[in-house]
Amino acid sequence: MARTNDADLSPQELRVLVAVAETQGFSAAAEALGLTQSAVSHSVRGSERKVGAVLFDRGRSGARPTPSGERAVAYARRVLRLLEVLGAETRGAAWSGTAEGPLRIAAFRSAALHLLPPVLERLRARHPGIEPRVRIVREVGRGTAGEVADGKADIAIATLGGSTALPPGLIASGLLEDPYALVHPAGHATPRSLPLVDWAENCGSYTREWWAAQDWIPDTTIEAEDDGAVLSLVSAGHGMAIMPALSRAGATPSVTVTDLGPDRPTRQVGYVTTSDLAAAAVVRAFVRELRATVGARTWGPP
């Protein structure tokens, strides 16, 4: 597809691309935007001419982004978000000098349960004009960082140091080391002989080498949906698990946590944002409270 000389997409064209991707159809996008279907089709065709690529596969089942379309939609979300931030920060600077407006946060389950609440409490006390919107995302595949890369989140609490490189345009910073331990029913004489209870998000690249060297760890006997279910199953006596500290927070007295020794695996927990949004007042305010909370260790056990 030939690219035109005027390749700049307008904000309205970007909104159309995002709406078509999220509704998976031109008619649904038109309804969501208050436009006609022909206007949406015309806008998409114009965008495709400008960028010189087919952005959507059209069919009877609707419209699905092509690989080029997925990249375009991710950038569209990010550009539209920057325009929102520009307006919110300009108003904030003019009227109050404080951070205000929506803040989209992605977090994996245990971070959302045990780390985010005190952070948001501090944030609300210092910046009541910030409106947090939290998405809980499984930390598999692209995980929470993928939400930021796709323009669906401004900042993500993520596990860092894995084998998957950060997508272009993203930056990361570490917050805490999250050590693993053996979790088993209290009072069991030989907990390492118990069946293994595990979940899909566990044993990332940061633990895989250690895990493979432990000949006492059996194959997974029970696989649960998330770490909360694992903790519940262990508490009920169905097996043992190897879990990081954030996932162990809230464990009942029916569970015992046993140190795995000096060579225990540890995952790094940090945050990920874009190089553009890192300077936004809402993101900077959140990072300050996030670091203060971790420093005070109010999120759970060591």
Side-chain angles (χ1 to χ4, degrees):
M1 179 176 290
R3 176 176 171 175
T4 64
N5 290 330
D6 182 10
D8 291 336
L9 303 185
S10 69
Q12 179 62 7
E13 287 173 313
L14 299 179
R15 292 187 188 96
V16 169
L17 294 181
V18 172
V20 173
E22 292 183 347
T23 64
Q24 300 187 344
F26 286 14
S27 297
E31 182 176 354
L33 295 171
L35 302 173
T36 64
Q37 181 177 344
S38 61
V40 169
S41 298
H42 178 76
S43 179
V44 171
R45 288 196 300 271
S47 297
E48 290 177 329
R49 284 195 299 272
K50 287 181 179 181
V51 302
V54 175
L55 302 179
F56 293 94
D57 288 325
R58 286 83 156 168
R60 292 183 178 179
S61 61
R64 302 290 188 275
T66 63
S68 295
E70 289 178 351
R71 291 191 292 272
V73 169
Y75 279 114
R77 288 194 188 102
R78 288 162 65 172
V79 170
L80 290 171
R81 178 60 179 136
L82 286 173
L83 292 174
E84 290 177 352
V85 168
L86 183 152
E89 295 206 356
T90 301
R91 290 190 300 272
W95 295 105
S96 65
T98 60
E100 64 176 39
L103 174 64
R104 306 171 305 162
I105 305 162
F108 54 91
R109 196 201 73 93
S110 57
L113 282 177
H114 307 300
L115 178 56
L116 265 184
V119 176
L120 296 182
E121 183 178 359
R122 297 175 65 110
L123 191 69
R124 183 171 60 250
R126 291 164 176 77
H127 300 276
I130 292 181
E131 306 160 18
R133 302 172 185 175
V134 179
R135 292 170 58 92
I136 299 178
V137 179
R138 298 185 75 192
E139 194 68 330
V140 293
R142 298 171 73 239
T144 59
E147 297 293 296
V148 177
D150 291 343
K152 297 177 181 178
D154 303 325
I155 189 167
I157 299 178
T159 52
L160 308 178
S163 57
T164 303
L166 278 180
L170 268 57
I171 59 174
S173 182
L175 291 167
L176 60 94
E177 296 296 321
D178 199 16
Y180 281 72
L182 176 64
V183 182
H184 56 87
H188 198 283
T190 55
R192 293 193 177 200
S193 67
L194 290 169
L196 176 66
V197 185
D198 208 0
W199 76 105
E201 292 172 271
N202 203 19
C203 195
S205 58
Y206 35 80
T207 65
R208 195 169 293 123
E209 185 176 341
W210 175 89
W211 199 286
Q214 310 304 308
D215 57 9
W216 60 272
I217 301 178
D219 292 335
T220 299
T221 304
I222 302 174
E223 184 163 334
E225 182 65 21
D226 57 50
D227 49 358
V230 170
L231 199 58
S232 179
L233 288 164
V234 172
S235 177
H238 295 291
M240 58 86 173
I242 298 167
M243 308 182 74
L246 267 176
S247 296
R248 304 192 305 265
T252 66
S254 61
V255 168
T256 294
V257 176
T258 301
D259 196 329
L260 289 169
D263 295 328
R264 65 188 180 185
T266 300
R267 68 176 180 179
Q268 185 180 33
V269 176
Y271 67 85
V272 175
T273 186
T274 68
S275 53
D276 294 319
L277 285 171
V282 289
V283 172
R284 287 188 287 110
F286 178 77
V287 169
R288 282 195 298 270
E289 304 310 329
L290 183 60
R291 289 196 175 280
T293 300
V294 170
R297 298 191 71 85
T298 59
W299 51 269

